[in-house]
Amino acid sequence: MRRRSQHSSKRLNRLTYNFPDSTGHFGQFGGTYMAETLIPAVEELTAQYLRFKDDPEFKAELAYELKHYVGRPSPIYHAKRLSESLGGAQIYLKREDLNHTGAHKINSAMGQALLAKRMGKKRVIAETGAGMHGVATATVAARFGMECIVYMGAEDIQRQAPNVFRMKLLGATVVPVESGSKTLKDACNEAIRDWVTNVESTFYIFGTAAGPHPYPMMVRDFQSVIGNEARVQMPEMIGRQPDAVIACVGGGSNAIGLFHPYIEVPNVQIIGVEAGGYGIASGKHAAPLTANAKVGVLHGNKVNLMQDENGQIIETHSISAGLDYPGVGPEHCLLKEIGRAQYVAADDDEAIAAFDALCRFEGIIPALESSHALAHAIKIAPTMAKDKVLLVNLSGRGDKDMNTVARIKGITL
Amino acid sequence: MSRIDTTFAKLKQQQRKALIPFITAGDPSQQLTVPLMHGLVAAGADVLELGVPFSDPMADGPTIQRASERALKNGMSLRGVLGMVAEFRKQDATTPVVLMGYGNPIEAMGWEVFAQRCAEVGVDGVLTVDFPPEESHDAFEHLQRYNIAPIFLLAPTTKEARIQQVAKLARGYVYYVSLKGVTGSGSIDLSAIEDKMPQLRKHIQLPIGVGFGIRDAATAKAVAKLCDGVVVGSRIVQEIESSNDNNVVANVVKLVNELRVAIDN
């Protein structure tokens, strides 16, 4: 009897987590903070997404593309040599790096492109930081014959030259953004300006689970394929769910994709790893949750936001262009606030050390973004028993980071 | 009656249209903003829109983006802008001043403190580009308490139900964005404005100002015929950008005066 009532109270908890609400809010976070010109566009997008998301034909087409084009399901790999070297918990990797285009970004780009197709939009735009979302968008645009414009900070174009070339090969126009800090947030501003101007012809394929409603919900839903697969794969591999799921958080799309299906799974710890840059104390980082940044409004949503005392957005720093962003998705803000997830930071040096470790121990070159998640696993694994299991989202591969890593090591390619 | 309402009532009586220029506070320098405001009034401005600079002005084109960057470099903050309005009010007790910008600097100050400060220094209206009515409950409550008019934008894409919603919340005047795009972009489509007006008038009793894309006297004149007020921003900011500290006030006065004459004739 007692057991039974415990079980039903868990079920009750399960029913209480249902975000966002109908107006796109995750508690106090999220919302639709957009200029009037774009409000009808996001309302239309919400209506169309809600119309198609459970449509059997849409779901079947998405499932087909994810299987045959993207290469899903992505495997889970037991990083045995790395785990042994640490002498503690076992590290497992969800191999999003093995997707077509080399990162998790394609999961959502594909979903959004299929929606754009149904909405009759022939022009897609995107912002990109590390270039992975730009490449994913350029890829699906080529796949479906759509015009594609990618906005990318001039600074990031320098850092991620190979990805710029990839986008161009795929037929996209890459527009360098020279305003502000010339990174991801400025690329976002510029993409929004394009959307305001071309709102009727254009679908904005947003890269992360942030921005105005419905993006945080829609991107999360498309990325949840990661966690949904893992929930099936882990019991197949080890007979149970992991003790913790760990992912890097910039805007947080790969993380929410892994985390969301685990929110209601008991006894699974959820850990998001932000970019610690030169260290939280230095102020030069991109870790708004870890640093308890004040709540503010940017890019259409209310979130924890790195800002000065006058509400101006401050420049962030991370070795990884994909995490170099002053905000974070609203659902992560909520998960932190209600205590369901924990957010920590790994700094540049820790990420590089983790990058090296995975290369040497496992023959896998991770993206610098994913290396942050790995760095935290490497930090905590030795403190845990050998039968504990950490599932790390290896959100992307590191080929794009060769120039950055070489420069840090003082090597000219 | 508020300064905005009084101003529009008087204009209506005189069968004239409002000229509403925009400048960014702190551009080209903090010292020149108040002299520029007085210059605008002397040149024939009826309402002043004073831009509060923001690091990420998503709805603005390159001209106003650069003005924001210059202003922030000059150390401009929301606190500083409120101080400028107080300074302006020492010599001008009648011209309405509307602060225009993005929500985050106000969020950081807190809406209640902000609304109270607005009332103290003599701000009449507030337009936050990225706070549509749906997200403005808190803001609206505090502004209303201190009699500060929330100014809302309407766009060519705005549907009738939203026009009705805005009509209920808006005070002062309503700002119709005449084109799909950022500030300072493209050219204006007069017949599209003309077509939209009856739909706007059906629900909105307040005066309607039209802006975005008004770059010369002839356009200002043509737009003024269709509505109650003309908002000119990027063109004036451009004039500020191409002037030096010695001639900027004179150049802006000359430009705004040309707009005034065109609108009145």
Side-chain angles (χ1 to χ4, degrees):
Chain A
M1 267 316 276
R2 193 151 170 207
R3 191 157 253 205
R4 196 169 213 152
S5 78
Q6 265 180 358
H7 183 70
S8 52
S9 85
K10 256 171 209 159
R11 278 194 67 103
L12 191 69
N13 281 337
R14 188 170 300 184
L15 291 172
T16 53
Y17 189 92
N18 184 18
F19 295 97
D21 63 19
S22 62
T23 57
H25 293 88
F26 297 82
Q28 64 162 317
F29 306 105
T32 312
Y33 293 87
M34 287 305 261
E36 181 59 35
T37 316
L38 288 174
I39 294 284
V42 292
E43 281 180 349
E44 167 74 1
L45 182 59
T46 303
Q48 294 295 326
Y49 174 63
L50 293 176
R51 177 179 158 205
F52 286 114
K53 81 183 181 80
D54 299 315
D55 173 60
E57 221 171 280
F58 180 82
K59 283 168 73 177
E61 189 177 358
L62 180 57
Y64 180 92
E65 294 294 338
L66 289 179
K67 182 177 177 188
H68 297 283
Y69 189 72
V70 176
R72 303 205 69 90
S74 68
I76 287 180
Y77 168 73
H78 182 189
K80 276 188 198 149
R81 289 194 67 231
L82 178 66
S83 305
E84 268 164 32
S85 79
L86 298 167
Q90 302 303 304
I91 296 176
Y92 285 71
L93 305 174
K94 178 65 172 158
R95 298 291 307 274
E96 291 299 300
D97 61 315
L98 294 178
N99 293 338
H100 179 42
T101 72
H104 71 290
K105 293 291 186 189
I106 190 100
N107 300 331
S108 169
M110 180 59 77
Q112 292 186 61
L114 291 178
L115 193 57
K117 205 174 81 170
R118 277 168 176 70
M119 290 171 70
K121 310 276 185 185
K122 299 213 160 48
R123 181 177 184 269
V124 296
I125 57 170
E127 84 296 338
T128 198
M132 298 314 282
H133 176 60
V135 167
T137 303
T139 299
V140 295
R143 165 77 185 77
F144 297 110
M146 295 163 171
E147 184 190 355
C148 178
I149 317 286
V150 179
Y151 292 93
M152 189 168 185
E155 168 103 353
D156 290 338
I157 285 181
Q158 293 291 322
R159 289 197 273 193
Q160 308 286 347
N163 267 348
V164 176
F165 188 56
R166 288 169 80 193
M167 288 184 265
K168 288 180 179 168
L169 286 176
L170 293 161
T173 304
V174 180
V175 181
V177 178
E178 300 282 354
S179 58
S181 58
K182 303 175 190 186
T183 60
L184 180 54
K185 84 172 169 73
D186 310 286
C188 251
N189 292 340
E190 211 54 42
I192 290 170
R193 288 179 190 123
D194 179 312
W195 201 24
V196 174
T197 309
N198 303 293
V199 58
E200 268 140 19
S201 67
T202 299
F203 190 107
Y204 185 0
I205 299 190
F206 201 60
T208 193
H213 182 60
Y215 285 105
M217 168 180 78
M218 180 171 72
V219 173
R220 171 199 75 196
D221 291 351
F222 288 138
Q223 291 295 357
S224 289
V225 67
I226 302 170
N228 286 330
E229 285 176 5
R231 273 182 62 176
V232 176
Q233 290 166 315
M234 287 309 296
E236 282 172 6
M237 286 185 85
I238 62 167
R240 65 182 180 91
Q241 296 298 347
D243 297 288
V245 289
I246 304 175
C248 66
V249 177
S253 70
N254 89 83
I256 205 68
L258 176 62
F259 296 171
H260 193 260
Y262 276 102
I263 288 173
E264 295 143 335
V265 179
N267 307 320
V268 178
Q269 211 189 337
I270 297 177
I271 306 171
V273 187
E274 296 186 302
Y278 297 134
I280 298 296
S282 74
K284 302 269 182 202
H285 58 80
L289 291 173
T290 310
N292 290 314
K294 208 172 160 184
V295 175
V297 172
L298 181 70
H299 295 148
N301 57 180
K302 187 177 266 193
V303 296
N304 293 93
L305 195 57
M306 292 181 56
Q307 53 185 308
D308 67 15
E309 71 281 7
N310 292 314
Q312 306 294 343
I313 310 309
I314 56 178
E315 291 194 10
T316 52
H317 166 77
S318 170
I319 191 175
S320 117
L323 302 182
D324 204 351
Y325 182 73
V328 60
E331 194 157 13
H332 289 294
C333 301
L334 177 68
L335 290 174
K336 183 190 176 204
E337 194 180 61
I338 64 174
R340 179 60 188 99
Q342 172 197 353
Y343 292 85
V344 297
D347 65 27
D348 287 353
D349 294 343
E350 291 168 327
I352 287 286
F355 175 94
D356 284 339
L358 199 68
C359 291
R360 299 291 174 84
F361 282 109
E362 301 293 347
I364 297 170
I365 302 177
L368 283 175
E369 289 76 15
S370 324
S371 299
H372 287 73
L374 206 56
H376 187 70
I378 288 172
K379 200 184 289 178
I380 62 173
T383 68
M384 299 168 76
K386 285 187 179 177
D387 61 348
K388 296 288 180 187
V389 171
L390 304 174
L391 176 61
V392 175
N393 200 12
L394 198 66
S395 55
R397 63 175 173 236
D399 307 41
K400 70 184 170 63
D401 294 314
M402 293 300 99
N403 289 336
T404 307
V405 175
R407 188 171 42 76
I408 287 161
K409 295 180 185 293
I411 298 160
T412 313
L413 293 180
Chain B
M1 227 177 170
S2 75
R3 273 185 284 256
I4 299 176
D5 297 341
T6 309
T7 300
F8 276 100
K10 202 168 106 191
L11 285 165
K12 194 172 181 183
Q13 206 177 26
Q14 299 167 343
Q15 292 183 309
R16 291 168 73 229
K17 302 298 170 75
L19 174 58
I20 310 174
F22 167 97
I23 58 170
T24 299
D27 173 42
S29 70
Q30 293 206 36
Q31 292 72 27
L32 281 165
T33 298
V34 175
L36 272 169
M37 291 169 77
H38 289 305
L40 291 169
V41 176
D46 300 297
V47 178
L48 302 182
E49 282 189 358
L50 191 57
V52 180
F54 182 50
S55 52
D56 294 78
M58 284 154 285
D60 286 300
T63 304
I64 293 179
Q65 283 176 49
R66 286 195 301 270
S68 292
E69 282 178 16
R70 285 193 295 271
L72 290 173
K73 211 181 231 175
N74 293 336
M76 202 67 242
S77 65
L78 178 55
R79 227 168 281 279
V81 177
L82 290 163
M84 285 173 173
V85 178
E87 184 65 28
F88 173 78
R89 281 278 171 252
K90 285 181 186 168
Q91 286 177 52
D92 187 326
T94 53
T95 309
V97 175
V98 171
L99 299 189
M100 179 169 179
Y102 297 79
N104 201 55
I106 305 176
E107 285 275 318
M109 179 178 278
W111 281 94
E112 187 169 7
V113 174
F114 171 70
Q116 191 186 347
R117 287 288 291 143
C118 280
E120 280 166 17
V121 302
V123 168
D124 303 284
V126 172
L127 196 171
T128 34
V129 179
D130 54 349
F131 275 53
E134 291 87 336
E135 304 291 358
S136 298
H137 315 295
D138 277 5
F140 187 73
E141 199 183 295
H142 293 300
L143 293 177
Q144 205 175 27
R145 199 168 133 213
Y146 289 96
N147 268 320
I148 311 296
I151 311 289
F152 286 103
L153 296 172
L154 290 175
T157 48
T158 308
K159 297 195 181 97
E160 191 148 2
R162 284 184 64 79
I163 297 175
Q164 276 177 288
Q165 194 186 357
V166 166
K168 276 188 214 135
L169 297 172
R171 299 287 181 275
Y173 61 99
V174 168
Y175 185 157
Y176 180 66
V177 173
S178 51
L179 50 81
K180 294 185 277 280
V182 292
T183 53
S185 65
S187 55
I188 203 159
D189 181 349
L190 288 169
S191 67
I193 299 172
E194 199 169 0
D195 291 347
K196 189 82 176 180
M197 269 314 144
Q199 195 192 31
L200 298 176
R201 295 276 192 213
K202 194 172 131 196
H203 303 290
I204 292 168
Q205 317 302 320
L206 293 173
I208 298 174
V210 174
F212 280 41
I214 298 171
R215 311 195 56 78
D216 54 52
T219 316
K221 181 183 172 146
V223 171
K225 283 193 177 134
L226 305 173
C227 59
D228 307 304
V230 177
V231 187
V232 183
S234 295
R235 178 65 190 89
I236 293 171
V237 172
Q238 208 173 46
E239 195 67 27
I240 292 172
E241 190 170 42
S242 63
S243 300
N244 61 46
D245 283 4
N246 297 322
N247 64 16
V248 64
V249 177
N251 289 351
V252 168
V253 166
K254 183 168 173 284
L255 170 69
V256 173
N257 199 255
E258 281 164 18
L259 297 169
R260 176 83 266 170
V261 170
I263 291 170
D264 285 347
N265 289 320

